[in-house]
mmCIF file of all heavy atoms in Angstrom:
data_model
loop_
_atom_site.group_PDB
_atom_site.id
_atom_site.type_symbol
_atom_site.label_atom_id
_atom_site.label_comp_id
_atom_site.label_asym_id
_atom_site.label_seq_id
_atom_site.Cartn_x
_atom_site.Cartn_y
_atom_site.Cartn_z
ATOM 1 N N ALA V 406 -12.304 0.257 -3.358
ATOM 2 C CA ALA V 406 -13.091 1.333 -3.941
ATOM 3 C C ALA V 406 -13.194 2.473 -2.944
ATOM 4 O O ALA V 406 -13.539 2.251 -1.779
ATOM 5 C CB ALA V 406 -14.475 0.818 -4.317
ATOM 6 N N VAL V 407 -12.898 3.669 -3.409
ATOM 7 C CA VAL V 407 -12.824 4.829 -2.528
ATOM 8 C C VAL V 407 -13.904 5.834 -2.888
ATOM 9 O O VAL V 407 -14.142 6.108 -4.084
ATOM 10 C CB VAL V 407 -11.432 5.494 -2.624
ATOM 11 C CG1 VAL V 407 -11.355 6.718 -1.717
ATOM 12 C CG2 VAL V 407 -10.346 4.497 -2.258
ATOM 13 N N SER V 408 -14.535 6.388 -1.885
ATOM 14 C CA SER V 408 -15.511 7.454 -2.105
ATOM 15 C C SER V 408 -15.362 8.489 -1.001
ATOM 16 O O SER V 408 -14.822 8.211 0.072
ATOM 17 C CB SER V 408 -16.933 6.891 -2.131
ATOM 18 O OG SER V 408 -17.233 6.241 -0.912
ATOM 19 N N GLY V 409 -15.828 9.701 -1.289
ATOM 20 C CA GLY V 409 -15.778 10.770 -0.301
ATOM 21 C C GLY V 409 -14.433 11.427 -0.133
ATOM 22 O O GLY V 409 -14.248 12.221 0.801
ATOM 23 N N LEU V 410 -13.485 11.107 -0.996
ATOM 24 C CA LEU V 410 -12.152 11.709 -0.965
ATOM 25 C C LEU V 410 -11.807 12.233 -2.349
ATOM 26 O O LEU V 410 -12.278 11.689 -3.355
ATOM 27 C CB LEU V 410 -11.096 10.676 -0.572
ATOM 28 C CG LEU V 410 -11.134 10.072 0.829
ATOM 29 C CD1 LEU V 410 -10.064 8.984 0.942
ATOM 30 C CD2 LEU V 410 -10.903 11.142 1.878
ATOM 31 N N THR V 411 -10.924 13.242 -2.366
ATOM 32 C CA THR V 411 -10.347 13.663 -3.643
ATOM 33 C C THR V 411 -9.244 12.671 -3.956
ATOM 34 O O THR V 411 -8.071 12.879 -3.658
ATOM 35 C CB THR V 411 -9.806 15.094 -3.543
ATOM 36 O OG1 THR V 411 -10.840 15.951 -3.051
ATOM 37 C CG2 THR V 411 -9.354 15.578 -4.913
ATOM 38 N N PHE V 412 -9.639 11.561 -4.555
ATOM 39 C CA PHE V 412 -8.790 10.365 -4.663
ATOM 40 C C PHE V 412 -7.426 10.667 -5.262
ATOM 41 O O PHE V 412 -6.405 10.187 -4.761
ATOM 42 C CB PHE V 412 -9.528 9.322 -5.507
ATOM 43 C CG PHE V 412 -8.790 8.034 -5.674
ATOM 44 C CD1 PHE V 412 -8.758 7.097 -4.651
ATOM 45 C CD2 PHE V 412 -8.141 7.744 -6.869
ATOM 46 C CE1 PHE V 412 -8.082 5.894 -4.804
ATOM 47 C CE2 PHE V 412 -7.462 6.544 -7.039
ATOM 48 C CZ PHE V 412 -7.435 5.620 -6.000
ATOM 49 N N ASN V 413 -7.379 11.457 -6.307
ATOM 50 C CA ASN V 413 -6.137 11.589 -7.063
ATOM 51 C C ASN V 413 -5.034 12.324 -6.298
ATOM 52 O O ASN V 413 -3.874 12.284 -6.708
ATOM 53 C CB ASN V 413 -6.396 12.266 -8.402
ATOM 54 C CG ASN V 413 -6.992 13.647 -8.239
ATOM 55 O OD1 ASN V 413 -8.028 13.814 -7.631
ATOM 56 N ND2 ASN V 413 -6.333 14.655 -8.777
ATOM 57 N N VAL V 414 -5.345 12.963 -5.174
ATOM 58 C CA VAL V 414 -4.294 13.685 -4.441
ATOM 59 C C VAL V 414 -3.688 12.833 -3.339
ATOM 60 O O VAL V 414 -2.714 13.244 -2.696
ATOM 61 C CB VAL V 414 -4.814 15.009 -3.842
ATOM 62 C CG1 VAL V 414 -5.414 15.881 -4.939
ATOM 63 C CG2 VAL V 414 -5.788 14.789 -2.705
ATOM 64 N N TYR V 415 -4.257 11.652 -3.111
ATOM 65 C CA TYR V 415 -3.793 10.814 -2.004
ATOM 66 C C TYR V 415 -2.840 9.729 -2.462
ATOM 67 O O TYR V 415 -3.053 9.079 -3.500
ATOM 68 C CB TYR V 415 -4.975 10.139 -1.312
ATOM 69 C CG TYR V 415 -5.743 11.064 -0.408
ATOM 70 C CD1 TYR V 415 -6.817 11.807 -0.892
ATOM 71 C CD2 TYR V 415 -5.385 11.191 0.932
ATOM 72 C CE1 TYR V 415 -7.514 12.657 -0.054
ATOM 73 C CE2 TYR V 415 -6.087 12.037 1.771
ATOM 74 C CZ TYR V 415 -7.149 12.774 1.269
ATOM 75 O OH TYR V 415 -7.845 13.605 2.093
ATOM 76 N N HIS V 416 -1.781 9.531 -1.659
ATOM 77 C CA HIS V 416 -1.022 8.292 -1.772
ATOM 78 C C HIS V 416 -1.915 7.185 -1.208
ATOM 79 O O HIS V 416 -2.577 7.363 -0.180
ATOM 80 C CB HIS V 416 0.264 8.361 -0.965
ATOM 81 C CG HIS V 416 1.246 9.393 -1.433
ATOM 82 N ND1 HIS V 416 1.219 9.939 -2.704
ATOM 83 C CD2 HIS V 416 2.290 9.975 -0.797
ATOM 84 C CE1 HIS V 416 2.207 10.807 -2.824
ATOM 85 N NE2 HIS V 416 2.861 10.862 -1.682
ATOM 86 N N MET V 417 -1.909 6.057 -1.853
ATOM 87 C CA MET V 417 -2.748 4.935 -1.441
ATOM 88 C C MET V 417 -1.865 3.754 -1.028
ATOM 89 O O MET V 417 -0.836 3.494 -1.650
ATOM 90 C CB MET V 417 -3.687 4.509 -2.564
ATOM 91 C CG MET V 417 -4.663 5.590 -2.999
ATOM 92 S SD MET V 417 -5.781 6.101 -1.687
ATOM 93 C CE MET V 417 -6.604 4.556 -1.290
ATOM 94 N N HIS V 418 -2.308 3.058 -0.005
ATOM 95 C CA HIS V 418 -1.481 2.003 0.579
ATOM 96 C C HIS V 418 -2.297 0.735 0.808
ATOM 97 O O HIS V 418 -3.503 0.796 1.003
ATOM 98 C CB HIS V 418 -0.923 2.438 1.934
ATOM 99 C CG HIS V 418 -0.426 3.836 1.977
ATOM 100 N ND1 HIS V 418 0.825 4.204 1.534
ATOM 101 C CD2 HIS V 418 -1.022 4.975 2.394
ATOM 102 C CE1 HIS V 418 0.974 5.505 1.689
ATOM 103 N NE2 HIS V 418 -0.138 6.000 2.213
ATOM 104 N N TRP V 419 -1.579 -0.373 0.821
ATOM 105 C CA TRP V 419 -2.116 -1.634 1.326
ATOM 106 C C TRP V 419 -1.283 -2.030 2.538
ATOM 107 O O TRP V 419 -0.047 -1.972 2.506
ATOM 108 C CB TRP V 419 -2.055 -2.729 0.276
ATOM 109 C CG TRP V 419 -3.079 -2.598 -0.797
ATOM 110 C CD1 TRP V 419 -2.935 -2.016 -2.017
ATOM 111 C CD2 TRP V 419 -4.435 -3.075 -0.738
ATOM 112 N NE1 TRP V 419 -4.103 -2.088 -2.724
ATOM 113 C CE2 TRP V 419 -5.040 -2.741 -1.960
ATOM 114 C CE3 TRP V 419 -5.182 -3.751 0.223
ATOM 115 C CZ2 TRP V 419 -6.369 -3.052 -2.254
ATOM 116 C CZ3 TRP V 419 -6.500 -4.072 -0.067
ATOM 117 C CH2 TRP V 419 -7.086 -3.720 -1.287
ATOM 118 N N TYR V 420 -1.991 -2.422 3.572
ATOM 119 C CA TYR V 420 -1.384 -2.982 4.773
ATOM 120 C C TYR V 420 -2.008 -4.352 5.005
ATOM 121 O O TYR V 420 -3.043 -4.684 4.420
ATOM 122 C CB TYR V 420 -1.660 -2.099 5.997
ATOM 123 C CG TYR V 420 -0.806 -0.871 6.096
ATOM 124 C CD1 TYR V 420 -1.065 0.237 5.309
ATOM 125 C CD2 TYR V 420 0.266 -0.804 6.995
ATOM 126 C CE1 TYR V 420 -0.283 1.377 5.398
ATOM 127 C CE2 TYR V 420 1.051 0.331 7.094
ATOM 128 C CZ TYR V 420 0.771 1.422 6.296
ATOM 129 O OH TYR V 420 1.546 2.542 6.391
ATOM 130 N N ARG V 421 -1.395 -5.114 5.895
ATOM 131 C CA ARG V 421 -2.001 -6.382 6.272
ATOM 132 C C ARG V 421 -1.720 -6.666 7.744
ATOM 133 O O ARG V 421 -0.754 -6.158 8.316
ATOM 134 C CB ARG V 421 -1.469 -7.523 5.406
ATOM 135 C CG ARG V 421 -0.009 -7.901 5.646
ATOM 136 C CD ARG V 421 0.408 -8.994 4.680
ATOM 137 N NE ARG V 421 1.750 -9.500 4.992
ATOM 138 C CZ ARG V 421 2.359 -10.447 4.286
ATOM 139 N NH1 ARG V 421 1.757 -10.986 3.207
ATOM 140 N NH2 ARG V 421 3.549 -10.868 4.629
ATOM 141 N N GLN V 422 -2.569 -7.476 8.322
ATOM 142 C CA GLN V 422 -2.391 -7.880 9.707
ATOM 143 C C GLN V 422 -2.711 -9.357 9.827
ATOM 144 O O GLN V 422 -3.860 -9.774 9.612
ATOM 145 C CB GLN V 422 -3.267 -7.067 10.653
ATOM 146 C CG GLN V 422 -2.985 -7.343 12.117
ATOM 147 C CD GLN V 422 -3.591 -6.295 13.043
ATOM 148 O OE1 GLN V 422 -4.483 -5.554 12.657
ATOM 149 N NE2 GLN V 422 -3.080 -6.224 14.259
ATOM 150 N N ALA V 423 -1.682 -10.120 10.149
ATOM 151 C CA ALA V 423 -1.842 -11.548 10.343
ATOM 152 C C ALA V 423 -2.294 -11.818 11.784
ATOM 153 O O ALA V 423 -2.055 -10.989 12.678
ATOM 154 C CB ALA V 423 -0.530 -12.265 10.060
ATOM 155 N N PRO V 424 -2.910 -12.950 12.019
ATOM 156 C CA PRO V 424 -3.369 -13.277 13.379
ATOM 157 C C PRO V 424 -2.236 -13.198 14.384
ATOM 158 O O PRO V 424 -1.167 -13.787 14.187
ATOM 159 C CB PRO V 424 -3.887 -14.706 13.227
ATOM 160 C CG PRO V 424 -4.265 -14.830 11.802
ATOM 161 C CD PRO V 424 -3.277 -13.996 11.049
ATOM 162 N N GLY V 425 -2.432 -12.439 15.458
ATOM 163 C CA GLY V 425 -1.439 -12.340 16.510
ATOM 164 C C GLY V 425 -0.239 -11.472 16.185
ATOM 165 O O GLY V 425 0.720 -11.434 16.960
ATOM 166 N N LYS V 426 -0.284 -10.784 15.055
ATOM 167 C CA LYS V 426 0.850 -9.954 14.661
ATOM 168 C C LYS V 426 0.417 -8.505 14.475
ATOM 169 O O LYS V 426 -0.769 -8.211 14.339
ATOM 170 C CB LYS V 426 1.475 -10.488 13.370
ATOM 171 C CG LYS V 426 2.113 -11.858 13.520
ATOM 172 C CD LYS V 426 2.844 -12.259 12.250
ATOM 173 C CE LYS V 426 3.535 -13.601 12.401
ATOM 174 N NZ LYS V 426 4.275 -13.978 11.156
ATOM 175 N N GLN V 427 1.408 -7.620 14.420
ATOM 176 C CA GLN V 427 1.122 -6.217 14.183
ATOM 177 C C GLN V 427 0.821 -5.987 12.716
ATOM 178 O O GLN V 427 1.245 -6.739 11.836
ATOM 179 C CB GLN V 427 2.319 -5.366 14.611
ATOM 180 C CG GLN V 427 2.549 -5.334 16.114
ATOM 181 C CD GLN V 427 3.636 -4.341 16.509
ATOM 182 O OE1 GLN V 427 4.524 -4.049 15.727
ATOM 183 N NE2 GLN V 427 3.552 -3.835 17.721
ATOM 184 N N ARG V 428 0.090 -4.923 12.467
ATOM 185 C CA ARG V 428 -0.186 -4.538 11.091
ATOM 186 C C ARG V 428 1.121 -4.151 10.406
ATOM 187 O O ARG V 428 1.962 -3.471 10.994
ATOM 188 C CB ARG V 428 -1.163 -3.378 11.078
ATOM 189 C CG ARG V 428 -1.698 -3.018 9.723
ATOM 190 C CD ARG V 428 -2.800 -1.983 9.828
ATOM 191 N NE ARG V 428 -3.965 -2.491 10.545
ATOM 192 C CZ ARG V 428 -5.114 -1.831 10.641
ATOM 193 N NH1 ARG V 428 -5.248 -0.643 10.074
ATOM 194 N NH2 ARG V 428 -6.121 -2.347 11.321
ATOM 195 N N GLU V 429 1.299 -4.605 9.167
ATOM 196 C CA GLU V 429 2.515 -4.273 8.436
ATOM 197 C C GLU V 429 2.178 -3.711 7.063
ATOM 198 O O GLU V 429 1.171 -4.076 6.440
ATOM 199 C CB GLU V 429 3.441 -5.491 8.301
ATOM 200 C CG GLU V 429 2.934 -6.607 7.429
ATOM 201 C CD GLU V 429 3.964 -7.729 7.256
ATOM 202 O OE1 GLU V 429 5.173 -7.488 7.444
ATOM 203 O OE2 GLU V 429 3.528 -8.853 6.920
ATOM 204 N N TRP V 430 3.035 -2.873 6.616
ATOM 205 C CA TRP V 430 2.874 -2.212 5.312
ATOM 206 C C TRP V 430 3.195 -3.198 4.198
ATOM 207 O O TRP V 430 4.183 -3.922 4.262
ATOM 208 C CB TRP V 430 3.777 -1.000 5.245
ATOM 209 C CG TRP V 430 3.891 -0.390 3.908
ATOM 210 C CD1 TRP V 430 2.918 0.271 3.206
ATOM 211 C CD2 TRP V 430 5.044 -0.370 3.074
ATOM 212 N NE1 TRP V 430 3.401 0.699 2.001
ATOM 213 C CE2 TRP V 430 4.716 0.319 1.897
ATOM 214 C CE3 TRP V 430 6.346 -0.866 3.214
ATOM 215 C CZ2 TRP V 430 5.624 0.515 0.867
ATOM 216 C CZ3 TRP V 430 7.252 -0.675 2.202
ATOM 217 C CH2 TRP V 430 6.883 0.020 1.046
ATOM 218 N N VAL V 431 2.364 -3.183 3.164
ATOM 219 C CA VAL V 431 2.547 -4.081 2.026
ATOM 220 C C VAL V 431 3.030 -3.315 0.792
ATOM 221 O O VAL V 431 4.036 -3.685 0.178
ATOM 222 C CB VAL V 431 1.229 -4.809 1.690
ATOM 223 C CG1 VAL V 431 1.399 -5.670 0.447
ATOM 224 C CG2 VAL V 431 0.757 -5.635 2.873
ATOM 225 N N ALA V 432 2.299 -2.269 0.431
ATOM 226 C CA ALA V 432 2.618 -1.579 -0.815
ATOM 227 C C ALA V 432 1.991 -0.193 -0.819
ATOM 228 O O ALA V 432 1.019 0.063 -0.108
ATOM 229 C CB ALA V 432 2.110 -2.378 -2.017
ATOM 230 N N THR V 433 2.577 0.673 -1.635
ATOM 231 C CA THR V 433 2.084 2.032 -1.825
ATOM 232 C C THR V 433 2.100 2.380 -3.300
ATOM 233 O O THR V 433 3.035 2.006 -4.016
ATOM 234 C CB THR V 433 2.981 3.035 -1.071
ATOM 235 O OG1 THR V 433 2.835 2.839 0.329
ATOM 236 C CG2 THR V 433 2.630 4.479 -1.418
ATOM 237 N N VAL V 434 1.075 3.080 -3.730
ATOM 238 C CA VAL V 434 1.102 3.727 -5.037
ATOM 239 C C VAL V 434 0.838 5.203 -4.789
ATOM 240 O O VAL V 434 -0.169 5.578 -4.188
ATOM 241 C CB VAL V 434 0.091 3.088 -6.028
ATOM 242 C CG1 VAL V 434 -1.314 3.072 -5.476
ATOM 243 C CG2 VAL V 434 0.156 3.783 -7.376
ATOM 244 N N THR V 435 1.780 6.040 -5.218
ATOM 245 C CA THR V 435 1.678 7.459 -4.925
ATOM 246 C C THR V 435 0.686 8.139 -5.862
ATOM 247 O O THR V 435 0.197 7.552 -6.834
ATOM 248 C CB THR V 435 3.037 8.144 -5.053
ATOM 249 O OG1 THR V 435 3.392 8.202 -6.441
ATOM 250 C CG2 THR V 435 4.118 7.400 -4.294
ATOM 251 N N GLN V 436 0.436 9.399 -5.587
ATOM 252 C CA GLN V 436 -0.458 10.177 -6.440
ATOM 253 C C GLN V 436 0.121 10.308 -7.844
ATOM 254 O O GLN V 436 -0.620 10.566 -8.794
ATOM 255 C CB GLN V 436 -0.708 11.543 -5.821
ATOM 256 C CG GLN V 436 0.554 12.359 -5.607
ATOM 257 C CD GLN V 436 0.294 13.700 -4.946
ATOM 258 O OE1 GLN V 436 1.213 14.371 -4.528
ATOM 259 N NE2 GLN V 436 -0.932 14.102 -4.837
ATOM 260 N N ASN V 437 1.438 10.130 -7.967
ATOM 261 C CA ASN V 437 2.111 10.184 -9.267
ATOM 262 C C ASN V 437 2.379 8.792 -9.834
ATOM 263 O O ASN V 437 3.215 8.641 -10.733
ATOM 264 C CB ASN V 437 3.428 10.946 -9.141
ATOM 265 C CG ASN V 437 3.219 12.389 -8.757
ATOM 266 O OD1 ASN V 437 2.302 13.050 -9.260
ATOM 267 N ND2 ASN V 437 4.038 12.903 -7.852
ATOM 268 N N PHE V 438 1.705 7.790 -9.276
ATOM 269 C CA PHE V 438 1.750 6.426 -9.791
ATOM 270 C C PHE V 438 3.084 5.722 -9.547
ATOM 271 O O PHE V 438 3.348 4.685 -10.157
ATOM 272 C CB PHE V 438 1.391 6.370 -11.285
ATOM 273 C CG PHE V 438 -0.013 6.807 -11.578
ATOM 274 C CD1 PHE V 438 -0.295 8.138 -11.840
ATOM 275 C CD2 PHE V 438 -1.057 5.891 -11.582
ATOM 276 C CE1 PHE V 438 -1.595 8.561 -12.089
ATOM 277 C CE2 PHE V 438 -2.362 6.304 -11.844
ATOM 278 C CZ PHE V 438 -2.632 7.634 -12.086
ATOM 279 N N LEU V 439 3.913 6.260 -8.655
ATOM 280 C CA LEU V 439 5.107 5.527 -8.255
ATOM 281 C C LEU V 439 4.691 4.422 -7.288
ATOM 282 O O LEU V 439 3.774 4.603 -6.486
ATOM 283 C CB LEU V 439 6.107 6.460 -7.584
ATOM 284 C CG LEU V 439 6.667 7.594 -8.446
ATOM 285 C CD1 LEU V 439 7.571 8.493 -7.626
ATOM 286 C CD2 LEU V 439 7.413 7.044 -9.654
ATOM 287 N N THR V 440 5.372 3.303 -7.358
ATOM 288 C CA THR V 440 5.013 2.164 -6.517
ATOM 289 C C THR V 440 6.186 1.758 -5.623
ATOM 290 O O THR V 440 7.356 1.865 -6.010
ATOM 291 C CB THR V 440 4.568 0.966 -7.351
ATOM 292 O OG1 THR V 440 5.617 0.600 -8.256
ATOM 293 C CG2 THR V 440 3.311 1.282 -8.143
ATOM 294 N N LYS V 441 5.846 1.302 -4.432
ATOM 295 C CA LYS V 441 6.840 0.828 -3.481
ATOM 296 C C LYS V 441 6.252 -0.388 -2.798
ATOM 297 O O LYS V 441 5.032 -0.493 -2.621
ATOM 298 C CB LYS V 441 7.150 1.904 -2.433
ATOM 299 C CG LYS V 441 7.594 3.231 -3.002
ATOM 300 C CD LYS V 441 7.736 4.284 -1.900
ATOM 301 C CE LYS V 441 8.043 5.651 -2.473
ATOM 302 N NZ LYS V 441 8.136 6.682 -1.410
ATOM 303 N N TYR V 442 7.160 -1.294 -2.362
ATOM 304 C CA TYR V 442 6.704 -2.543 -1.770
ATOM 305 C C TYR V 442 7.519 -2.905 -0.532
ATOM 306 O O TYR V 442 8.711 -2.579 -0.435
ATOM 307 C CB TYR V 442 6.829 -3.686 -2.784
ATOM 308 C CG TYR V 442 6.005 -3.486 -4.025
ATOM 309 C CD1 TYR V 442 6.540 -2.870 -5.148
ATOM 310 C CD2 TYR V 442 4.679 -3.910 -4.065
ATOM 311 C CE1 TYR V 442 5.773 -2.668 -6.288
ATOM 312 C CE2 TYR V 442 3.905 -3.721 -5.192
ATOM 313 C CZ TYR V 442 4.467 -3.092 -6.301
ATOM 314 O OH TYR V 442 3.698 -2.896 -7.423
ATOM 315 N N GLY V 443 6.873 -3.617 0.363
ATOM 316 C CA GLY V 443 7.596 -4.176 1.479
ATOM 317 C C GLY V 443 8.604 -5.219 1.012
ATOM 318 O O GLY V 443 8.423 -5.845 -0.040
ATOM 319 N N ASP V 444 9.657 -5.395 1.781
ATOM 320 C CA ASP V 444 10.723 -6.312 1.371
ATOM 321 C C ASP V 444 10.210 -7.730 1.157
ATOM 322 O O ASP V 444 10.704 -8.469 0.298
ATOM 323 C CB ASP V 444 11.838 -6.320 2.423
ATOM 324 C CG ASP V 444 12.623 -5.021 2.442
ATOM 325 O OD1 ASP V 444 12.548 -4.262 1.440
ATOM 326 O OD2 ASP V 444 13.311 -4.760 3.447
ATOM 327 N N PHE V 445 9.222 -8.119 1.924
ATOM 328 C CA PHE V 445 8.741 -9.501 1.847
ATOM 329 C C PHE V 445 7.989 -9.775 0.542
ATOM 330 O O PHE V 445 7.769 -10.926 0.184
ATOM 331 C CB PHE V 445 7.825 -9.811 3.036
ATOM 332 C CG PHE V 445 6.539 -9.045 3.016
ATOM 333 C CD1 PHE V 445 5.432 -9.530 2.339
ATOM 334 C CD2 PHE V 445 6.430 -7.818 3.657
ATOM 335 C CE1 PHE V 445 4.249 -8.825 2.310
ATOM 336 C CE2 PHE V 445 5.257 -7.101 3.637
ATOM 337 C CZ PHE V 445 4.158 -7.601 2.949
ATOM 338 N N VAL V 446 7.614 -8.730 -0.178
ATOM 339 C CA VAL V 446 6.840 -8.928 -1.402
ATOM 340 C C VAL V 446 7.671 -9.643 -2.468
ATOM 341 O O VAL V 446 7.198 -10.553 -3.143
ATOM 342 C CB VAL V 446 6.312 -7.592 -1.923
ATOM 343 C CG1 VAL V 446 5.712 -7.752 -3.317
ATOM 344 C CG2 VAL V 446 5.266 -7.029 -0.962
ATOM 345 N N LYS V 447 8.901 -9.229 -2.620
ATOM 346 C CA LYS V 447 9.855 -9.918 -3.503
ATOM 347 C C LYS V 447 9.304 -10.137 -4.906
ATOM 348 O O LYS V 447 9.411 -11.240 -5.469
ATOM 349 C CB LYS V 447 10.300 -11.234 -2.875
ATOM 350 C CG LYS V 447 11.041 -11.060 -1.556
ATOM 351 C CD LYS V 447 11.464 -12.380 -0.952
ATOM 352 C CE LYS V 447 12.198 -12.155 0.362
ATOM 353 N NZ LYS V 447 12.591 -13.440 0.991
ATOM 354 N N GLY V 448 8.676 -9.107 -5.456
ATOM 355 C CA GLY V 448 8.228 -9.173 -6.837
ATOM 356 C C GLY V 448 6.938 -9.937 -7.050
ATOM 357 O O GLY V 448 6.504 -10.108 -8.193
ATOM 358 N N ARG V 449 6.296 -10.385 -5.999
ATOM 359 C CA ARG V 449 5.095 -11.211 -6.159
ATOM 360 C C ARG V 449 3.817 -10.389 -6.303
ATOM 361 O O ARG V 449 2.829 -10.887 -6.850
ATOM 362 C CB ARG V 449 4.965 -12.127 -4.936
ATOM 363 C CG ARG V 449 6.150 -13.064 -4.749
ATOM 364 C CD ARG V 449 5.935 -13.959 -3.543
ATOM 365 N NE ARG V 449 5.840 -13.155 -2.317
ATOM 366 C CZ ARG V 449 4.908 -13.329 -1.374
ATOM 367 N NH1 ARG V 449 3.977 -14.270 -1.524
ATOM 368 N NH2 ARG V 449 4.887 -12.570 -0.295
ATOM 369 N N PHE V 450 3.818 -9.170 -5.802
ATOM 370 C CA PHE V 450 2.611 -8.341 -5.779
ATOM 371 C C PHE V 450 2.784 -7.144 -6.708
ATOM 372 O O PHE V 450 3.901 -6.640 -6.904
ATOM 373 C CB PHE V 450 2.320 -7.826 -4.375
ATOM 374 C CG PHE V 450 2.067 -8.871 -3.307
ATOM 375 C CD1 PHE V 450 1.904 -8.482 -1.991
ATOM 376 C CD2 PHE V 450 1.981 -10.222 -3.615
ATOM 377 C CE1 PHE V 450 1.663 -9.404 -0.995
ATOM 378 C CE2 PHE V 450 1.747 -11.172 -2.643
ATOM 379 C CZ PHE V 450 1.592 -10.759 -1.328
ATOM 380 N N THR V 451 1.660 -6.664 -7.222
ATOM 381 C CA THR V 451 1.641 -5.458 -8.040
ATOM 382 C C THR V 451 0.508 -4.561 -7.572
ATOM 383 O O THR V 451 -0.655 -4.997 -7.533
ATOM 384 C CB THR V 451 1.451 -5.788 -9.516
ATOM 385 O OG1 THR V 451 2.498 -6.667 -9.957
ATOM 386 C CG2 THR V 451 1.481 -4.517 -10.358
#
């Protein structure tokens, strides 16, 4: 849930960080609703 931003103009992302590892990109949904995923997702996430 986002507040304090003009939400619709921002690309939005999910990242993750596993214990002892660097933060990695998971997925993006652009301001135009285009979606992109990290290779490891392999169709499992939306």
Side-chain angles (χ1 to χ4, degrees):
V407 179
S408 59
L410 295 175
T411 307
F412 181 78
N413 59 303
V414 304
Y415 283 90
H416 296 340
M417 298 298 301
H418 317 278
W419 285 95
Y420 282 77
R421 70 183 187 181
Q422 187 165 18
K426 294 186 178 181
Q427 291 187 333
R428 189 172 296 188
E429 68 175 338
W430 170 68
V431 176
T433 292
V434 55
T435 71
Q436 59 182 169
N437 296 319
F438 296 90
L439 297 176
T440 58
K441 304 174 186 178
Y442 299 92
D444 290 342
F445 67 87
V446 170
K447 297 180 180 178
R449 300 181 298 134
F450 299 175
T451 302

